[in-house]
Amino acid sequence: MIRSAICLLLLFVSVMSVPSARAQSADTALVAKARAIHERVITLDTHVDIDPRNFAVGPRNYGQRLDTQVNLPKMQEGGLDAAFFIVYVGQGPLTPEGYDKAYAQAVAKFDAIHRLTEQIAPTRIGLALTAADVRTIAASGRKVALIGVENAYPIGTDLSRIKEFHDRGGRYLSLAHNGHSQFADSNTGERDGKWMHNGLSELGKRAIAEMNRVGFMIDLSHPSKQANLQAIALSKAPVIASHSSARAVANHSRNLDDEELLAIKKNGGVVQTVAFDGYVKIKPADSPARAAAVAEVRKAMPAGGPGEMTDEARAQFRARMAEVNRKFPPAPRATVADFVNHVDYLVKTIGIDHVGISSDFDGGGGVDGWSGADETFNVTLELVRRGYTEEQIGKLWSGNLLRVMDEVQRVAASLQAKSE
């Protein structure tokens, strides 16, 4: 009797373990499939902010595993092949003095990226100026650096600086950031209820033509909806949104609504879905106590953000924020799954050929599961889990953006030939 009971128990355990073993085997196979795809496609993140102090020749630089979300070791660990490093300057006064100060800051960031690829780690990363360069450098085993310009404010009112910034290696340019520029209204006008140009200024309209002529991709992340629709209508080449998600999924003015999305599709452009927690998932407002505590800590933040803080000040800021989060826990962060929900929506709305991927790392970006370049594989894994094919994943990670880059440069060559 006892022996029979034991046999029945062993049979029960054996039968119950079969589904678990099968599930584990299926998950292992899925991970292996995702890793193989991740290694074969070119993974390109179109928005990574930088601090020029990490791009100096010396004992501390981007070639080492710093506490930044992106650096060369973390790109290697996560299989991130390429990134647009960003020449960003925050919006300031629309005065000659403001323009001159912003120009100097922009040049410092251009120079920093060139130092990385020419002096600090030329055997590990190369600067790409064309889509063909991206493919060639990636095939060589090196990482790929590209340059994006976030906010045309440093150009001032001298449109010849558009060509200068292109000559310095810039390959996309946005006409505004947070705050209206001399070129375009910002999405922040919706929050503030104030507009300056009702879209693009006359200078902004001329800037669109010049960007088409020199070969700059026009970036629609940050300007207002009206400015974006006007830019699309004026552009002779496909446009991009370098780091924006779907407003229908998360209702934030930094995201794009369906009218903008469909206009980008018609234009032949691409939307680079952004893994920025606050744009991926809209959360309940902070409690009064948490809001007050966060505001107190942020008093120490300079106007230009973390990039203008010393290492010591940044460490103190993070420690104080960690203490606030311990006392007043924030709402859960968005996850990789939440992020890919935006990818799914965009693909359904405008098609697989018009969607890409970006992080906004070191500029506020990141979600649970993709909080640094070292976790990049998790995005590919989630895409495979949802049934995307290798061809589709290749388009999302880089193929669509490189197609637009090729077309923008073809249009520029045609326009330049006509003007000769």
Side-chain angles (χ1 to χ4, degrees):
M1 185 72 176
I2 294 174
R3 182 179 298 170
S4 297
I6 291 173
C7 288
L8 286 171
L9 178 62
L10 290 174
L11 179 61
F12 175 77
V13 170
S14 175
V15 170
M16 290 300 292
S17 68
V18 169
S20 177
R22 285 176 180 168
Q24 187 174 13
S25 176
D27 193 56
T28 300
L30 186 138
V31 170
K33 177 182 178 180
R35 286 209 178 278
I37 291 173
H38 194 67
E39 290 174 4
R40 286 192 291 263
V41 303
I42 296 176
T43 52
L44 169 61
D45 180 348
T46 49
H47 203 90
V48 173
D49 281 288
I50 66 165
D51 180 344
R53 291 173 297 183
N54 294 325
F55 289 71
V57 177
R60 174 187 165 85
N61 60 52
Y62 221 62
Q64 299 157 350
R65 200 179 196 282
L66 307 177
D67 61 358
T68 53
Q69 290 174 287
V70 182
N71 48 63
L72 292 185
K74 287 186 178 180
M75 290 179 73
Q76 189 66 42
E77 289 168 28
L80 178 61
D81 297 315
F84 272 85
F85 297 117
I86 303 306
V87 172
Y88 158 72
V89 180
Q91 187 59 47
L94 304 181
T95 63
E97 295 77 16
Y99 298 144
D100 288 346
K101 180 181 179 182
Y103 174 78
Q105 292 174 324
V107 169
K109 291 191 174 183
F110 276 116
D111 290 346
I113 299 163
H114 280 277
R115 269 197 307 278
L116 175 66
T117 60
E118 296 165 15
Q119 300 176 48
I120 296 170
T123 62
R124 297 164 65 190
I125 186 167
L127 180 65
L129 301 178
T130 66
D133 288 345
V134 173
R135 300 181 183 100
T136 300
I137 295 168
S140 76
R142 291 189 296 164
K143 298 302 179 186
V144 186
L146 302 101
I147 301 176
V149 182
E150 185 176 34
N151 198 7
Y153 171 54
I155 288 169
T157 57
D158 182 0
L159 294 185
S160 71
R161 283 185 177 172
I162 292 177
K163 182 178 184 302
E164 177 193 334
F165 281 14
H166 188 268
D167 290 345
R168 289 179 180 272
R171 286 302 178 265
Y172 74 67
L173 173 66
S174 63
L175 289 182
H177 189 253
N178 292 334
H180 306 317
S181 76
Q182 64 273 38
F183 297 102
D185 286 338
S186 166
N187 77 95
T188 55
E190 182 177 322
R191 175 197 67 199
D192 302 334
K194 296 179 181 179
W195 304 103
M196 180 177 287
H197 311 292
N198 292 317
L200 299 177
S201 67
E202 288 305 312
L203 187 66
K205 293 173 183 177
R206 287 192 282 129
I208 293 291
E210 181 63 3
M211 282 191 275
N212 281 166
R213 189 189 72 80
V214 304
F216 252 125
M217 291 184 286
I218 296 163
D219 178 18
L220 305 182
S221 290
H222 282 288
S224 69
K225 175 180 176 176
Q226 191 71 9
N228 285 343
L229 293 176
Q230 291 171 10
I232 294 168
L234 288 170
S235 180
K236 292 180 171 62
V239 300
I240 70 168
S242 70
H243 59 307
S244 296
S245 288
R247 188 154 191 177
V249 181
N251 187 16
H252 192 290
S253 64
R254 268 284 286 106
N255 289 334
L256 302 172
D257 69 15
D258 284 5
E259 184 180 4
E260 291 170 282
L261 294 177
L262 292 171
I264 291 169
K265 176 183 180 178
K266 185 177 180 180
N267 161 271
V270 61
V271 176
Q272 299 292 120
T273 325
V274 66
F276 190 110
D277 176 51
Y279 307 152
V280 169
K281 192 173 183 180
I282 304 300
K283 303 178 182 64
D286 285 342
S287 68
R290 175 177 168 79
V294 170
E296 184 62 29
V297 174
R298 284 183 174 164
K299 286 181 181 178
M301 179 78 73
E308 293 186 4
M309 301 174 83
T310 65
D311 290 345
E312 182 181 0
R314 190 183 296 111
Q316 290 175 350
F317 176 82
R318 288 174 177 168
R320 292 182 66 192
M321 279 302 302
E323 180 62 17
V324 169
N325 290 337
R326 186 187 67 77
K327 288 182 178 179
F328 310 104
R333 294 180 81 209
T335 65
V336 167
D338 294 322
F339 168 64
V340 178
N341 287 344
H342 282 263
V343 174
D344 284 347
Y345 181 85
L346 292 168
V347 168
K348 179 181 177 182
T349 304
I350 58 177
I352 191 70
D353 293 326
H354 303 283
V355 185
I357 293 170
S358 68
S359 68
D360 204 358
F361 283 149
D362 294 314
V367 294
D368 277 356
W370 196 30
S371 58
D374 51 327
E375 295 184 324
T376 301
F377 168 70
N378 291 337
V379 178
T380 301
L381 179 60
E382 183 64 22
L383 292 170
V384 171
R385 186 174 282 122
R386 298 197 186 196
Y388 286 90
T389 66
E390 180 168 343
E391 180 185 10
Q392 291 172 328
I393 292 170
K395 288 183 176 184
L396 292 170
W397 264 124
S398 62
N400 294 333
L401 188 284
L402 296 180
R403 169 187 59 78
V404 170
M405 196 170 175
D406 275 333
E407 180 63 12
V408 166
Q409 293 179 332
R410 187 196 67 76
V411 169
S414 174
L415 291 173
Q416 289 170 25
K418 289 178 182 178
S419 65
E420 290 177 354

